Amino acid sequence: MTGKKPILLSAIKPTGDLHIGNYFGVMRQLVELSKTGKYQLLVFVANYHALNTVQDAEEMRQRTRELVRAYIATGLDPKEVIFFKQSDVPAHTELCWIFDTITTMPYLMRAHAYKDAEAKNKEISVGTFNYPLLMAADILLYDTAVVPVGADQKQHVEITRDVAEKFNRIFKADVFRLPEAYIMPEVATVPGIDGQKMSKSYGNTISIFASRDELAKQIMSIVTDSSGKRPENVYRMHRLVRTDAELLPLYDAHRGNYKALKELLIEDLDRYLAPLRAAYGLLKDDSSIIDDVLARGRQEARTISEAKMEEVRRTIGVY
Ligand code: ADP
Ligand code: TRP
């Protein structure tokens, strides 16, 4: 199935409703990359990463299914892409442990997520501290060539490269391939309705599958300043679906009329998202599709990762 194409691997945690930051930051480019035919795509639900925050079985189950449905609705073809759940492939946690043993605590303390928690004086779980190493295992198990991520995940890919190099050096073997992060600068950070980075943890999101009414409500509440100049927060979001050349004359014509500009944005975003919303609705009616896709993916991901684990076990002398 994977043939000789380079592997492109992506994952999202099932931790909340998908928003247009996730979509324009990662999912859309994933669909574009899949259409080039240049890569074999592996896409998984990072449910063990999510377990640090989602600690309710029903919520975990439901969000996992929603995520796979969303990926398919936004244009990934389940006949081409291998979809699976992280927890269905035991090699992820096994390799994570091996990485634990070759990584120091001071090194992991430099990770952004840890530093943020520390700055806020928050107590974090060992799982959150260790998050980057589970992610390194996710990526390295499949000889991944490319990892498309938002700018906030760049450091995790750098950590992954460090871990791969360190393992190869310690065991004097060329076991792990160094992956590249793939970040589209143009949409590197999608702003939320308050102008900060859109994130479910800031409560400033717009859902990909929001109804037109919800969309209108959220867009109307985008924060603007009262200087009378271009409302930057509205413009930045508008740029996701239209070019500068199209937008500049519109924003000139409606200078100072924020309401009119927001209404235009509602129109444009709704037109863009309507087909995705419709596809998502159709998939909701047939849940067996999702079960089949995940069962197939589980088999394929296990086969690939088990071969890599045999190589790893032999290399470290436990085989
Ligand atoms: P959140 O910040 O809402 O918790 P996640 O951390 O689950 O989102 O992000 C999932 C993926 O979507 C990541 O690869 C992340 O880089 C990307 N992403 C999330 N928010 C944005 C955003 N506002 N702009 C661009 N990409 C984003
Ligand atoms: N850490 C990523 C996020 O928060 C999710 C993730 C887990 C991931 N494992 C991965 C992304 C491997 C790419 C590759 O968005």
Side-chain angles (χ1 to χ4, degrees):
M1 171 94 198
T2 57
K4 288 276 170 282
K5 286 185 188 175
I7 299 285
L8 184 151
L9 178 120
S10 179
I12 296 197
K13 286 175 291 175
T15 44
D17 291 334
L18 285 171
H19 53 74
I20 61 172
N22 301 133
Y23 178 71
F24 289 100
V26 183
M27 298 171 83
R28 184 177 65 164
Q29 42 175 313
L30 207 56
V31 173
E32 280 164 10
L33 285 165
S34 77
K35 287 187 178 149
T36 65
K38 282 202 264 183
Y39 301 99
Q40 169 63 54
L41 264 69
L42 292 179
V43 175
F44 69 93
V45 180
N47 52 5
Y48 275 159
H49 276 116
L51 192 57
N52 285 302
T53 50
V54 180
Q55 299 179 340
D56 176 284
E58 195 38 47
E59 185 185 345
M60 183 72 95
R61 262 191 288 271
Q62 200 182 325
R63 292 206 181 281
T64 300
R65 304 179 65 77
E66 278 170 7
L67 209 51
V68 179
R69 214 184 280 137
Y71 270 122
I72 298 175
T74 51
L76 290 183
D77 179 354
K79 290 197 280 306
E80 301 286 337
V81 175
I82 300 176
F83 284 104
F84 65 97
K85 289 190 288 185
Q86 189 179 34
S87 59
D88 272 349
V89 186
H92 290 241
T93 46
E94 183 180 354
L95 185 57
C96 178
W97 173 260
I98 294 170
F99 290 159
D100 284 350
T101 65
I102 63 164
T103 308
T104 68
M105 300 223 337
Y107 177 83
L108 279 188
M109 283 172 178
R110 276 180 251 142
H112 296 318
Y114 175 77
K115 284 206 293 201
D116 286 352
E118 208 190 24
K120 291 179 193 142
N121 249 331
K122 275 206 290 201
E123 267 190 15
I124 62 164
S125 66
V126 177
T128 302
F129 182 64
N130 213 11
Y131 188 109
L133 293 184
L134 180 57
M135 184 155 161
D138 297 340
I139 295 171
L140 297 173
L141 271 175
Y142 300 94
D143 287 337
T144 302
V146 184
V147 189
V149 283
D152 62 330
Q153 294 294 313
K154 197 165 164 247
Q155 190 194 37
H156 286 150
V157 181
E158 281 157 10
I159 293 175
T160 302
R161 292 170 60 94
D162 283 351
V163 171
E165 274 183 324
K166 189 164 185 189
F167 181 98
N168 289 347
R169 192 170 65 243
I170 292 176
F171 294 101
K172 299 181 187 61
D174 197 17
V175 175
F176 294 119
R177 169 184 182 140
L178 268 52
E180 302 287 341
Y182 180 92
I183 293 158
M184 267 196 164
E186 206 185 343
V187 286
T189 301
V190 175
I193 54 177
D194 58 357
Q196 293 189 80
K197 171 186 180 284
M198 183 175 290
S199 168
K200 56 190 165 255
S201 35
Y202 301 149
N204 62 357
T205 60
I206 294 184
S207 161
I208 308 175
F209 305 111
S211 67
R212 188 190 161 99
D213 284 352
E214 285 163 342
L215 208 58
K217 209 168 125 205
Q218 287 165 319
I219 289 175
M220 280 302 172
S221 62
I222 293 178
V223 176
T224 48
D225 64 23
S226 52
S227 67
K229 289 205 217 102
R230 185 168 88 182
E232 282 308 321
N233 294 340
V234 179
Y235 189 83
R236 280 162 71 208
M237 208 175 281
H238 221 150
R239 269 293 279 118
L240 299 169
V241 288
R242 292 185 78 167
T243 61
D244 285 323
E246 291 171 329
L247 290 177
L248 289 174
L250 285 175
Y251 276 68
D252 262 349
H254 295 286
R255 185 177 294 273
N257 189 350
Y258 296 168
K259 183 158 176 285
L261 291 168
K262 284 179 173 177
E263 279 164 358
L264 283 172
L265 174 59
I266 295 169
E267 212 49 59
D268 287 336
L269 204 55
D270 184 57
R271 192 174 324 112
Y272 190 96
L273 297 176
L276 310 185
R277 194 194 297 145
Y280 187 76
L282 284 177
L283 282 165
K284 230 175 175 165
D285 298 336
D286 186 358
S287 62
S288 66
I289 296 177
I290 307 298
D291 292 336
D292 291 349
V293 166
L294 287 175
R296 237 184 308 132
R298 167 191 162 115
Q299 272 318 320
E300 292 187 275
R302 279 189 174 202
T303 305
I304 305 170
S305 60
E306 200 36 48
K308 180 56 78 179
M309 278 315 295
E310 280 191 14
E311 191 185 345
V312 170
R313 293 186 202 110
R314 208 175 296 121
T315 302
I316 64 176
V318 300
Y319 190 67

